[in-house]
């Protein structure tokens, strides 16, 4: 008996333990393994998802109906007063106008990413180098990028030095101190920061299109524009739809770059920055939770509308 135990390997022990939870008896044409095994693999991910996503969202919705300050043990229920306050006091909803800068920038970002992805999907000299250059900004930490552009836009900084070298020093302004220019500057940083993500999504989708379609188009005399219009654009329709949803969510939830670079000063306060300040500066967690719920509803509503207007239809490309 002792010799048998000595010959047991860790794999034998693991199989013994697993067999206690997973039985292979056939009942009704299906085995217990086929039923239980997927849930064993999903148990930990589901527990993490519930713990760090759905339970916090449920608590946030509950807090939005209270006047909790984040410290008191008791939470006074105020009903829909927080939501009415947000929509009746301009300082809470006017910051949505700042999101329009990021929303417009996201479309320019998508257009540039699609342009470069289309070009680099064909045979181009140094295309591997250009792929790395375009994707590299997305690999850099957002905090590092914020500090880089904080010095880039400062008076007499890199941008002003470049303009002066090109003989356009008269164009230099307070890029971050001027309320009329600060949001354009920050939106430009966002374009540079996230163009790599859309570029990789578009490039992967374009490269998944069968090459025979391009060969057939060449035989029919189609130029590059016709190939893009009738082959590439329909073939990556789902990825374009996904990028559009990400653009809406990203423009509404812009936070890292404006918070680190300007701290929301000079009219650069976004809705998320306003929410953070309401919760942790003014100690109005209930009101801030209501703002977060409104943002969540807006994103879900816009996504639903987008899915209705541009349905996710399966595209079949044939030569």
């Amino acid at each position: 008996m002792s010799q048998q135990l000595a010959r047991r390997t860790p794999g034998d022990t693991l199989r013994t333990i697993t067999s206690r939870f997973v039985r292979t008896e056939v009942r009704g044409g299906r085995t217990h393994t086929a039923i239980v095994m997927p849930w064993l693999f999903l148990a930990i991910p589901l527990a993490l998802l519930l713990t760090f996503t759905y339970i916090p969202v449920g608590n946030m919705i509950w807090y939005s109906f209270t006047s909790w300050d984040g410290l008191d043990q008791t939470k006074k229920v105020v009903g829909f007063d927080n939501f009415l306050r947000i929509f009746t006091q301009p300082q809470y909803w006017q910051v949505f106008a700042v999101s329009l800068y990021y929303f417009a920038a996201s479309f320019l970002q998508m257009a540039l990413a699609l342009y470069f992805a289309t070009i680099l999907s064909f045979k181009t000299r140094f295309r591997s180098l250009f792929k790395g250059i375009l994707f590299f900004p997305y690999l850099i930490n957002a905090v590092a990028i914020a500090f880089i552009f904080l010095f880039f836009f400062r008076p007499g900084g890199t941008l002003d030095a470049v303009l002066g070298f090109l003989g356009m020093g008269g164009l230099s302004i307070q890029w971050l101190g001027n309320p009329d220019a600060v949001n354009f500057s920050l939106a430009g940083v966002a374009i540079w920061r996230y163009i790599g993500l859309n570029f990789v999504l578009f490039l992967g989708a374009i490269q998944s299109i069968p090459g025979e379609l391009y060969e057939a188009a060449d035989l029919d005399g189609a130029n590059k524009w016709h190939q893009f219009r009738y082959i590439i654009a329909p073939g990556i329709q789902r990825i374009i739809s996904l990028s559009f949803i990400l653009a809406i969510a990203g423009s509404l939830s812009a936070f890292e770059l404006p918070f680190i670079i300007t701290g929301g000063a000079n009219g650069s306060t976004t809705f998320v920055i306003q929410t953070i300040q309401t919760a942790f500066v003014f100690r109005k967690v209930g009101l801030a939770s209501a703002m977060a719920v409104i943002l969540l509803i807006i994103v879900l509503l816009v996504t639903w509308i987008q899915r209705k207007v541009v349905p996710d239809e399966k595209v079949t490309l044939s030569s």
Side-chain angles (χ1 to χ4, degrees), residues 17-32:
I17 297 175
T18 305
S19 63
R20 296 181 180 179
F21 297 95
V22 182
R23 299 184 181 279
T24 58
E25 299 173 359
V26 178
R27 289 185 180 180
R30 299 187 63 187
T31 65
H32 279 292

Side-chain angles (χ1 to χ4, degrees), residues 54-84:
Y54 292 110
I55 293 178
V57 169
N59 289 332
M60 180 186 68
I61 296 174
W62 158 243
Y63 297 153
S64 66
F65 294 102
T66 67
S67 60
W68 188 42
D69 61 358
L71 297 176
D72 292 340
Q73 294 293 330
T74 59
K75 303 175 181 63
K76 181 181 178 181
V77 179
V78 294
F80 290 92
D81 289 350
N82 290 328
F83 296 93
L84 294 176

Side-chain angles (χ1 to χ4, degrees), residues 6 16 23 44 46 51 64-65 116-117 139 142 196 216 245-247 250 267 270:
T16 302
R23 299 184 181 279
I44 295 178
L46 287 176
T51 303
S64 66
F65 294 102
F116 288 119
L139 299 177
I245 295 174
L246 294 177
T270 63

Side-chain angles (χ1 to χ4, degrees), residues 102-118:
Y102 297 94
F103 187 66
S106 64
F107 281 95
L108 178 58
Q109 174 198 119
M110 290 171 57
L112 291 174
L114 184 57
Y115 173 76
F116 288 119
T118 302

Side-chain angles (χ1 to χ4, degrees), residues 202-213:
F202 291 144
L203 183 64
I206 293 173
Q207 292 181 343
S208 66
I209 298 176
E212 294 81 1
L213 297 178

Side-chain angles (χ1 to χ4, degrees), residues 252-267:
L252 292 175
S253 59
F255 169 70
E256 295 171 325
L257 295 177
F259 182 77
I260 298 173
I261 296 176
T262 64
N266 301 320

